[in-house]
Amino acid sequence: MFAEKLVGQQLASYTIGNCISVGGMGSIHYAHGPAVDESLAIKVLRPEYSTQGEYRQRFEREAYLLMTLDHPNILPVYDYGQADGLLYLVMRLVRGPSLFEMQTRRRFSPHSAAQILDSVANALDYAHDHNVIHRDIKPGNILIEARTTGNHVYLADFGLSKVKSDVNLTTRGTSLGTPQYMSPEQVMDYPLDRRSDVYSLGLVIYEMLLGRLPYYAATPQEVAYKHVKEQPPLPRHLSSTFPPALEEVLMKSLAKNVRDRYTTAGEFNQAFKATLAKLSPVATKEDYWVGPPNLTF
């Protein structure tokens, strides 16, 4: 109902269009504004969250970070503010699906997964070098835009990100993130560094290649527990044709102990690419489609 009421309304200098997506804290809409000569999307926080100090801080920090982080694989943000009691964030409109939407129709080849990994790893290394830990790497936050020159990948939604110099905006014992993609240390509410995002990225690639996540359970809490206590199923046990060398790379990204993981997303990316280059092209370039294709890599 909140999202429907926004359609056609004026918020600051922006006209709000149809809803793109709805979340628990607000909604994202098409938007038109005078300042930027391209299509826009506007993220609007619900009134009850716009007035709460912690949510307001987190929202404003996301806006500030995204306007500060200037990287071709990080979704650009052009403006943010408050009008009529609502907080809003104005972003580039990505005309294309999220990785989550693409996964409903295909299982990715290593070749296709490598292209996603390369873009997201570059974005993460840049963010990490600027002392920003994303904390919510998942397919829904990876956007794919179709261009005449080829597909372009954006990393989005830094709303749960952590800056090393920040005062912690969360209460001890209340881990933030998406349980299916959280690192063991994130589940345990331990201090995080860039290797936590490497673990989450490893889960994304695991799911792309195998068509499933390593852990399933009846509740989010049980899934989170498995990240801490259970080893992920080996890819070879889920797919008899999975290349052993690629399995070694993938499992290192998912090591329980942070000291056993890749130090950076870029290191993970380079190991994946180097291993892929040694494999048979026939075995690595074809995606397995489970529905009609849309974007191709």
Side-chain angles (χ1 to χ4, degrees):
M1 185 65 69
F2 167 72
E4 294 173 0
K5 288 182 178 180
L6 288 175
V7 177
Q9 299 298 312
Q10 192 78 15
L11 195 62
S13 58
Y14 302 97
T15 302
I16 299 178
N18 291 332
C19 184
I20 298 172
S21 65
V22 178
M25 294 178 59
S27 54
I28 299 176
H29 296 255
Y30 296 100
H32 301 281
V36 181
D37 186 23
E38 64 177 292
S39 299
L40 302 173
I42 188 167
K43 178 179 181 179
V44 185
L45 221 58
R46 296 174 64 90
E48 57 266 35
Y49 293 110
S50 294
T51 57
Q52 290 189 30
E54 180 179 330
Y55 291 105
R56 180 189 178 97
Q57 278 182 279
R58 191 174 296 136
F59 189 86
E60 291 179 341
R61 183 183 58 176
E62 177 188 10
Y64 173 76
L65 284 176
L66 289 175
M67 293 184 75
T68 303
L69 297 176
D70 183 14
H71 189 275
N73 296 114
I74 293 178
L75 184 67
V77 164
Y78 304 124
D79 190 17
Y80 72 99
Q82 184 171 21
D84 301 327
L86 299 173
L87 289 168
Y88 66 88
L89 183 72
V90 180
M91 307 166 284
R92 177 186 176 90
L93 175 64
V94 176
R95 296 192 180 277
S98 68
L99 179 58
F100 174 80
E101 292 167 318
M102 293 181 72
Q103 284 177 331
T104 62
R105 293 183 288 275
R106 72 199 281 187
R107 191 174 71 200
F108 292 80
S109 70
H111 176 78
S112 295
Q115 295 183 57
I116 299 286
L117 173 59
D118 186 64
S119 296
V120 178
N122 287 336
L124 279 177
D125 276 353
Y126 175 85
H128 293 159
D129 288 344
H130 288 75
N131 297 321
V132 176
I133 311 300
H134 190 285
R135 297 203 300 180
D136 199 22
I137 302 298
K138 60 183 180 181
N141 288 337
I142 298 171
L143 308 180
I144 320 295
E145 182 175 71
R147 298 181 179 178
T148 56
T149 55
N151 299 322
H152 191 82
V153 178
Y154 287 108
L155 179 60
D157 202 344
F158 280 69
L160 298 184
S161 60
K162 173 73 176 172
V163 181
K164 287 185 179 179
S165 59
D166 276 349
V167 173
N168 197 345
L169 295 179
T170 63
T171 304
R172 186 74 176 171
T174 56
S175 301
L176 293 175
T178 304
Q180 291 87 342
Y181 301 92
M182 290 171 68
S183 68
E185 61 271 23
Q186 192 173 2
V187 172
M188 298 298 290
D189 199 20
Y190 291 161
L192 305 181
D193 61 24
R194 62 176 71 204
R195 292 171 293 183
S196 178
D197 283 343
V198 169
Y199 180 94
S200 300
L201 181 56
L203 290 169
V204 169
I205 302 302
Y206 185 106
E207 185 178 19
M208 290 180 72
L209 295 175
L210 294 161
R212 55 155 285 175
L213 284 164
Y215 304 119
Y216 291 95
T219 67
Q221 292 80 7
E222 290 176 289
V223 172
Y225 178 84
K226 290 188 175 192
H227 283 293
V228 177
K229 295 296 183 179
E230 293 185 12
Q231 292 298 325
L234 292 173
R236 76 182 86 156
H237 295 161
L238 302 176
S239 173
S240 60
T241 60
F242 199 92
L246 213 54
E247 176 182 273
E248 184 178 344
V249 172
L250 189 57
M251 297 308 288
K252 182 172 180 177
S253 73
L254 299 178
K256 299 293 182 192
N257 191 320
V258 295
R259 292 189 294 272
D260 296 329
R261 279 180 224 151
Y262 296 104
T263 305
T264 68
E267 186 181 335
F268 175 27
N269 180 37
Q270 291 302 317
F272 194 97
K273 288 196 293 188
T275 303
L276 189 60
K278 299 175 184 177
L279 301 178
S280 165
V282 175
T284 61
K285 287 189 178 293
E286 293 298 324
D287 291 1
Y288 174 75
W289 291 95
V290 294
N294 51 352
L295 296 178
T296 58
F297 282 87

